[in-house]
Every structure is written in structure tokens, then in C-alpha cells.
Amino acid sequence: MLNVFEHYASLHEIPELGFQEFKTSAYISRHLKAAGFSVEDNFNATTGIVALLESGQPGPTLALRADMDALGHIINGEPCARHTCGHDAHSSVVLSAAQELIAEGAVKRGRLKLIFQPAEELGTGALAMIAGGAIDDVDMILGFHLRPAEECAVGTAIPAVRYSACVTLEATIRGLTAHAARPHLGINALDAAVSAVQAVNAVHLAPGKSWSAKATRFLCDAGVTNSIPDEARVVFDLRAGENEEMTQLQERVERAIKMSVAASGATAEVMLLKAMPAAEINEEMTALIAESIGEVLGEAALMPARATPGSEDFFHYAVQRPAVKSGFWGLGTGLTPGLHHPEMRFDLNSLPIGVKIFKTCVVKVLG
């Protein structure tokens, strides 16, 4: 049986983008089957994996979820996939915990389910697993994420990380082309797009809430420099600490875009590219995780729960299936210079700690 370091070394070398994790899922599936799990590959016609361990005794069904996909980067002018969000570490930790639990006969009641999920970065991987019925029979689900060095040190952990909702919108703004010498005959899509950005910057929610809305991509090119452009595309990133605020923010941003471009005679079509909900975390699961962290690392290593403006598609599980009790925790890893940075690094010695915390959680529920 390989240890967590060996799994990580193997998975780190085969980064794959969302719904293209063919080598990654094959590797994980092979080791789960060898350990004795019942494994369903290509779950819901994706690269996802669902594995099951039946104890044969009555009890709850507890799921552990790990994401598998890497991020797409452009490095030295070349597109590539790279594990800069730690999903290779997440899969390695859950895989190692699963192997050790079955080898030790630690699951004595109920069922342990493992969900290795594709496409977290796309925001649609969890939805695909839910649509396939992955958590229809699940009572509780736990997930985790490596945390940056500024949030918690190696040897510490956070029992609840409350992620924000994130919505990505793309506005396609259309005007009317004309010669630059006769701009009055056209409708400048570039000008209209600039107005849309300014209008979004003027959107406000209550200052006591956590939210932001900003343009993150602007594309406009008529192909020549002496022609009025008739089309521009702008991408907006929206964040909100609560799902209710996100609904309000999205409505206001879409209205601001459409009304601002209409002032110059342009039109805007707003498309939703990605949406991930804010955290919905069960307090009972947070207490379970906190107790497990304390047992593994000591009470001094138990950090307080914290909020983050980052987003995680894990929370689709709780939002889509509110009867399922969900918990999501953070592992101190000394991660620098930051998540999604092309040169992201962390202390590998944190990985066995993650394995122990997950194992302790499982034993408390199913042992």
C-alpha cells in the first residue's frame, strides 16, 4: 500500500483539466479497487469516481469528497495544466485515509462513501456528481482544502472554512460599426463597454456585508485602428459572503450593464459562465471536525472558523441537498505564495496530518 507522499508524487505529475482527468481517475480507481472498495468509474458519464465500503451493520452513510482537476495556466506563452490549487493533495489525502481505514477494519457500522470529483475549477463538477445521484443516499459529507500560510501554519487546522458565493458573468456588448472619421454614424461598443464597467463599479450593497463586483477581462478589436468597433466582451467576477446577497448583487450588476450601454444605443447580452454558492455548513459536522483536530493535533492547534472570499463548488452538495449534513475544513500547510499562483508550494509534511484528521472523523461516526 502506497503512502500519501507516494500518491501525491504520482498525481502531481499528471495534472489534467476539468472533465479531462483520465489518468488521475484511473490511478485513484486502481488503488481503491486494490484496497477492496466497490468502485464505480466514469460516474454520470464523467471522469468522477464513487467508491463504497459497506460495514454490513446499520448506521449512517458518511461521504468524503476530494476534487481532482488541475488549473489551466499560460506559462512562458504556452497553455498548460498545473496543480496550483492543491487538488492533487486533496485526492492523495482522501485516498490514503480510505486505504488505511479499510486495512484497519475501522468502519464497523454504516457505510463509507468516497467521492472523487472532477471539474471543481469549472464550478460544475459537484453538480454533475449530484445529478448522477452520488449523494442521494448520503447522510453526511466532509471536504477540505489546503490553506495559505497567512491563514494557518503547518500543524494547525480550521474546523470550518466559510467560502463566499462566486458568479462569473460575460457581457457581449453590440453597437454599430462606422469609419472613425464619421463616428456619428456608428455606435461604439468599446465606449459602451467602458460605461458598463463604470456602472458596475457604482453598484453597492450594504457596507456591513461582504461582497465585490469587478471587471476581470475586456476584449474589443475591430481589426483596424480607424473603425468604430461594433462588439466588445467584458467578464465580471462577483463575490458575496451569503447566497441571498449574491442574488441581489447579480440582479443589480446585470441591470447596470444593460441600462448603461443602452444610454449610447448599444445592447448587451449577459451570459452566466459560472456560479458557486456560499458555504452552507452544518454545526454538528463542524463540532465533529473540531473534536478530531483537537485529538490529532492538540487543542492549541485548533484554529477558529473563518470566512474567505474564495469559492468552492463543494457547497453545491449542501445547497442542492439540504438534508445532507456537510462540513468543510482547512488544513494548515504553509502554502505560498498563494493558491492559483503558478509557483504555488506547500509543506508536504502536512499531508499525513490531513489523513489522520479524516480517519478520526470517520471512526467517530462509523467506528
Side-chain angles (χ1 to χ4, degrees):
M1 182 174 66
L2 301 182
N3 62 38
V4 68
F5 299 114
E6 293 168 313
H7 287 316
Y8 175 80
S10 296
L11 293 176
H12 189 70
E13 293 302 314
I14 51 172
E16 298 168 296
L17 300 178
F19 293 123
Q20 300 175 36
E21 307 95 339
F22 303 110
K23 295 178 183 178
T24 301
S25 60
Y27 177 93
I28 294 169
S29 176
R30 182 169 69 253
H31 286 281
L32 289 172
K33 291 172 182 175
F37 284 88
S38 172
V39 178
E40 184 175 353
D41 296 314
N42 306 120
F43 191 83
N44 194 23
T46 73
T47 47
I49 299 168
V50 173
L52 189 65
L53 175 61
E54 295 267 10
S55 70
Q57 298 299 319
T61 298
L62 170 64
L64 306 182
R65 173 269 199 179
D67 37 17
M68 303 186 295
D69 56 320
L71 272 162
H73 288 276
I74 298 176
I75 299 175
N76 297 324
E78 295 294 329
C80 66
R82 183 174 288 191
H83 274 299
T84 56
C85 198
H87 296 183
D88 48 350
H90 301 164
S91 289
S92 301
V93 165
V94 172
L95 175 58
S96 296
Q99 286 179 308
E100 293 182 19
L101 286 163
I102 195 171
E104 296 165 6
V107 176
K108 301 185 184 303
R109 68 187 189 100
R111 306 189 307 163
L112 175 63
K113 181 173 269 195
L114 309 170
I115 298 174
F116 288 90
Q117 178 208 300
E120 189 280 329
E121 297 294 348
L122 300 180
T124 52
L127 291 173
M129 302 302 279
I130 294 167
I135 60 169
D136 286 355
D137 57 351
V138 168
D139 299 297
M140 295 165 275
I141 185 169
L142 300 178
F144 88 120
H145 206 294
L146 308 185
R147 302 316 303 159
E150 64 270 19
E151 290 189 10
C152 58
V154 177
T156 67
I158 303 170
V161 183
R162 299 188 178 278
Y163 279 75
S164 297
C166 174
V167 163
T168 305
L169 300 175
E170 182 178 65
T172 301
I173 297 161
R174 294 185 174 88
L176 179 65
T177 192
H179 195 289
R182 290 170 285 279
H184 61 291
L185 300 179
I187 299 172
N188 195 322
L190 194 156
D191 285 345
V194 170
S195 296
V197 173
Q198 293 174 329
V200 170
N201 288 342
V203 169
H204 295 286
L205 299 188
K209 300 293 184 178
S210 173
W211 60 273
S212 69
K214 81 293 292 182
T216 56
R217 178 181 291 169
F218 196 124
L219 303 172
C220 184
D221 185 4
V224 294
T225 58
N226 59 352
S227 181
I228 299 299
D230 63 352
E231 182 176 300
R233 286 187 292 134
V234 187
V235 173
F236 295 91
D237 177 278
L238 284 57
R239 308 268 166 167
E242 299 177 14
N243 290 312
E244 293 78 8
E245 272 67 43
M246 176 54 79
T247 299
Q248 185 181 44
L249 181 61
Q250 184 175 344
E251 290 173 350
R252 291 188 181 186
V253 165
E254 291 190 21
R255 183 170 65 246
I257 293 168
K258 292 178 180 179
M259 294 184 71
S260 62
V261 304
S264 61
T267 61
E269 178 185 355
V270 181
M271 179 184 301
L272 176 67
L273 297 185
K274 182 170 69 173
M276 291 195 270
E280 298 285 351
I281 293 178
N282 179 271
E283 294 305 319
E284 181 184 336
M285 293 297 98
T286 297
L288 167 71
I289 296 166
E291 187 177 349
S292 299
I293 292 170
E295 289 186 14
V296 172
L297 296 173
E299 292 300 321
L302 177 62
M303 298 292 102
R306 65 176 298 145
T308 172
S311 59
E312 239 292 347
D313 88 337
F314 173 87
F315 299 105
H316 280 303
Y317 293 110
V319 170
Q320 297 289 324
R321 298 289 188 273
V324 179
K325 299 175 181 178
S326 66
F328 196 89
W329 58 283
L331 177 65
T333 60
L335 188 151
T336 59
L339 292 164
H340 290 207
H341 190 285
E343 303 302 326
M344 185 274 277
R345 297 287 186 273
F346 67 95
D347 189 338
L348 296 182
N349 290 315
S350 62
L351 297 181
I353 297 173
V355 173
K356 291 177 183 177
I357 292 172
F358 264 129
K359 287 178 63 181
T360 304
C361 289
V362 171
V363 170
K364 287 181 176 297
V365 175
L366 304 178

